[in-house]
Amino acid sequence: MTDSIRFILNGEDIALSSFEPTETLLDFLRLKRRLTGTKEGCAEGDCGACTVLVGRLVHGRLTYETVNACIRFLGSLNATHVVTVEHLAAADGQLHPVQQAMVDCHGSQCGFCTPGFVMSLYGLWLTSSNPSRAEIERALQGNLCRCTGYEPIVKAAELVSRTRPSSLFDPLERDRASIMARLWNLQTAETITIVRDDRRLIVPGSVAALADILAEEPKATVVAGATDVGLWVTKQMRSINPVVFINHLADLQTVSIDGKGITLGAGVSYTQGFETLRKEIPAFGRLIERIGGQQVRNMGTIGGNIANGSPIGDTPPAMIALGAKVRLRSAAGSRELPLEDFFIDYGKQDRRTGEFVESIFVPRPEADAHYAVYKISKRRDEDISALCGAFHLSLADDGSVTGIRIAFGGMAGTPKRARAVEAALYGKPWTQATVTEARHAFDQDYKPLTDWRATADYRQLTAKNLLTRFFLETSGTPQELQRFEREEA
């Protein structure tokens, strides 16, 4: 057991043994290191002004990702390389090509958001030599600007991708071998424990150690991506003591495929799971692209989205409609249950004392099945759902419904199946008349609430309309779908 967090900050080795377990990377950078290029805008991972890169070894490869420093806790940084905007320019003050492109394209006005944009563009520059406009816009989803209108920033990304200089200029590409060696030496199989007065931070050395820790500390707050827990601290000032960080556990970050489907470790981030889900279940992949911004997708985990139990979490409806199963683990062993049964009531899940989510199995839709996921939100990108619906349909040769699973988030206190609607459809011909009649069954399945995201009436009507949309997409003509979309608008 050890008592300090060790990481690299730009080019400097850092060791911390006494700090608040809930101290954020943003506060550390600005208040203790005076690296004020990283800005605080929203303190909830929404605006991107605090964007930095965090590099880590994943299965032997050094990977850098953009993250929101405002909700990234220091305790999650062991054996990582934190890179801020101050590290980009050369020692003689010459700007990095990404920074210079922002200057040349007039991509900055008031300048407050500029460092965050630079870091997001830098992350893209490191991973893509010729990004499409869609890829550029996706990389910037998590950065907000009130001045430029974004077009000059997109042009800067296009410019720097065309004039990529020698990698010897870039500090991360130039020093990659030495950084990898230093990070390798920082990795440890020992559990890290830091105590500050009556507050404790624990970083388990393995998944087995995590199970033992939760057996002794069943009320501990387990933090993976912190995209939700971070706001508990920065916005709600909640205590999460003791806190256990698990984002480093490689055994929880595996993705495997077999003939039946995909098994995702609970620690797999949205970014890590995206390519597999996009390829194997395209509709699920499209949903992932709309979860938060790139920084949130880099930090947030699919297992955390489930374990949190939020009724507006995006991934549970998509997986419940496919018949997904969740595996729970504790020091006493493991068990598996249907994902839909994991959610009992608002804020309550079927998780026994000391248990944590270990993995999720997502069945692949049958080749002839129809599957769709619809996310409804005020903003298309980087927004929380008002509701999210998923549909999984199988038809017989005569066009009758032989299998139907419908699940919604945002319509009840938990992600929930629309069983009355399913019953109204099962065995019936997949026709407009059947669907029109089945719409009434939504009133049996859901009694949604009104909140600032949507009214109860809006949610109920939208859920019904999504069923109609799914029908038109699976069997209607393009003209019928266009007419429906106009009427719905």
Side-chain angles (χ1 to χ4, degrees):
M1 187 174 294
T2 184
D3 64 352
S4 60
I5 298 291
R6 293 178 169 84
F7 61 94
I8 304 169
L9 173 58
N10 294 329
E12 180 183 357
D13 292 325
I14 302 292
L16 302 174
S17 58
S18 178
F19 59 93
E20 285 292 336
T22 55
E23 183 173 352
T24 64
L25 173 58
L26 176 65
D27 283 348
F28 174 75
L29 294 175
R30 290 184 60 83
L31 303 179
K32 295 184 177 178
R33 305 297 301 194
R34 304 305 298 169
L35 293 170
T36 55
T38 307
K39 308 298 185 185
E40 178 174 341
C42 64
E44 59 185 37
D46 196 42
C47 75
C50 66
T51 302
V52 299
L53 295 187
V54 173
R56 58 191 179 124
L57 293 174
V58 181
H59 306 305
R61 296 181 58 189
L62 177 57
T63 301
Y64 286 93
E65 295 178 325
T66 53
V67 306
N68 295 120
C70 67
I71 54 172
R72 185 69 183 253
F73 295 112
L74 281 181
S76 70
L77 294 173
N78 195 64
T80 65
H81 182 202
V82 177
V83 183
T84 71
V85 70
E86 288 87 354
H87 195 54
L88 270 63
D92 62 2
Q94 182 181 355
L95 295 180
H96 188 278
V98 172
Q99 295 172 307
Q100 188 61 53
M102 286 284 282
V103 174
D104 294 341
C105 295
H106 307 286
S108 178
Q109 288 191 25
C110 84
F112 189 87
C113 69
T114 301
F117 272 100
V118 166
M119 295 308 290
S120 288
L121 292 180
Y122 182 38
L124 178 66
W125 186 83
L126 285 172
T127 58
S128 180
S129 59
N130 188 28
S132 65
R133 186 180 178 97
E135 290 172 325
I136 293 169
E137 291 178 352
R138 191 178 304 122
L140 298 178
Q141 279 176 326
N143 293 80
L144 303 181
C145 179
R146 295 170 177 83
C147 300
T148 68
Y150 302 100
E151 187 64 24
I153 301 172
V154 172
K155 289 186 180 298
E158 293 172 336
L159 174 63
V160 76
S161 70
R162 294 194 300 267
T163 58
R164 192 178 184 94
S166 168
S167 63
L168 294 178
F169 179 87
D170 181 73
L172 301 192
E173 295 195 2
R174 181 189 63 226
D175 303 331
R176 179 168 289 263
S178 63
I179 292 169
M180 288 184 66
R182 290 161 71 185
L183 291 180
W184 182 265
N185 290 331
L186 292 178
Q187 292 184 321
T188 178
E190 295 183 277
T191 293
I192 300 170
T193 301
I194 293 176
V195 179
R196 181 72 176 264
D197 298 328
D198 62 342
R199 298 173 294 283
R200 285 179 297 141
L201 174 158
I202 306 170
V203 183
S206 65
V207 176
L210 171 62
D212 291 339
I213 290 165
L214 294 182
E216 297 179 3
E217 304 278 359
K219 295 184 178 181
T221 303
V222 179
V223 178
T227 55
D228 197 23
V229 176
L231 275 67
W232 297 1
V233 173
T234 64
K235 295 297 184 179
Q236 302 174 21
M237 310 303 173
R238 285 169 54 177
S239 170
I240 57 173
N241 183 54
V243 56
V244 180
F245 291 103
I246 65 169
N247 63 300
H248 62 292
L249 294 175
D251 288 346
L252 293 180
Q253 297 175 14
T254 58
V255 179
S256 60
I257 306 172
D258 61 23
K260 296 181 178 180
I262 307 165
T263 300
L264 301 163
V268 171
S269 70
Y270 300 120
T271 298
Q272 289 172 319
F274 171 71
E275 284 300 328
T276 298
L277 290 170
R278 181 186 63 81
K279 180 180 179 181
E280 300 294 326
I281 314 175
F284 202 156
R286 290 191 292 272
L287 173 69
I288 296 294
E289 289 185 301
R290 292 190 58 198
I291 295 177
Q294 189 65 50
Q295 298 92 322
V296 168
R297 293 193 293 271
N298 290 338
M299 291 173 59
T301 65
I302 295 173
N305 200 226
I306 291 170
N308 190 34
S310 171
I312 52 174
D314 285 325
T315 63
M319 291 189 280
I320 289 172
L322 291 170
K325 296 180 179 180
V326 60
R327 176 169 289 276
L328 303 171
R329 177 170 171 177
S330 69
S334 299
R335 65 186 178 105
E336 189 175 79
L337 69 157
L339 179 58
E340 63 191 277
D341 295 340
F342 178 69
F343 304 103
I344 299 173
D345 202 347
Y346 181 78
K348 184 178 181 181
Q349 297 86 48
D350 184 4
R351 190 166 60 239
R352 298 169 185 168
T353 300
E355 281 188 333
F356 59 93
V357 176
E358 183 178 32
S359 63
I360 308 97
F361 173 71
V362 185
R364 185 188 294 104
E366 303 84 354
D368 58 350
H370 301 279
Y371 175 70
V373 187
Y374 306 103
K375 173 172 176 166
I376 307 299
S377 56
K378 291 186 176 182
R379 294 193 310 250
R380 187 187 187 283
D381 293 326
E382 202 190 6
D383 202 1
I384 295 172
S385 293
L387 69 155
C388 183
F391 300 80
H392 184 202
L393 169 72
S394 297
L395 298 173
D397 291 340
D398 64 359
S400 61
V401 176
T402 57
I404 181 70
R405 292 175 66 95
I406 302 172
F408 271 88
M411 296 288 289
T414 65
K416 184 183 175 186
R417 290 268 298 275
R419 292 188 178 276
V421 179
E422 294 172 1
L425 294 169
Y426 186 77
K428 306 286 181 58
W430 186 239
T431 64
Q432 181 73 66
T434 299
V435 169
T436 299
E437 182 62 28
R439 286 168 59 103
H440 300 295
F442 275 98
D443 297 328
Q444 301 175 45
D445 283 316
Y446 301 114
K447 304 294 181 185
L449 299 176
T450 293
D451 59 24
W452 69 271
R453 291 191 180 91
T455 65
D457 290 344
Y458 174 85
R459 286 186 163 108
Q460 197 77 322
L461 178 60
T462 300
K464 295 175 181 180
N465 285 344
L466 289 178
L467 174 61
T468 301
R469 181 185 182 91
F470 180 63
F471 167 75
L472 292 174
E473 288 182 346
T474 56
S475 59
T477 66
Q479 292 77 16
E480 288 175 322
L481 180 58
Q482 290 172 4
R483 183 174 64 252
F484 170 74
E485 289 175 336
R486 287 196 299 269
E487 293 172 351
E488 190 178 22

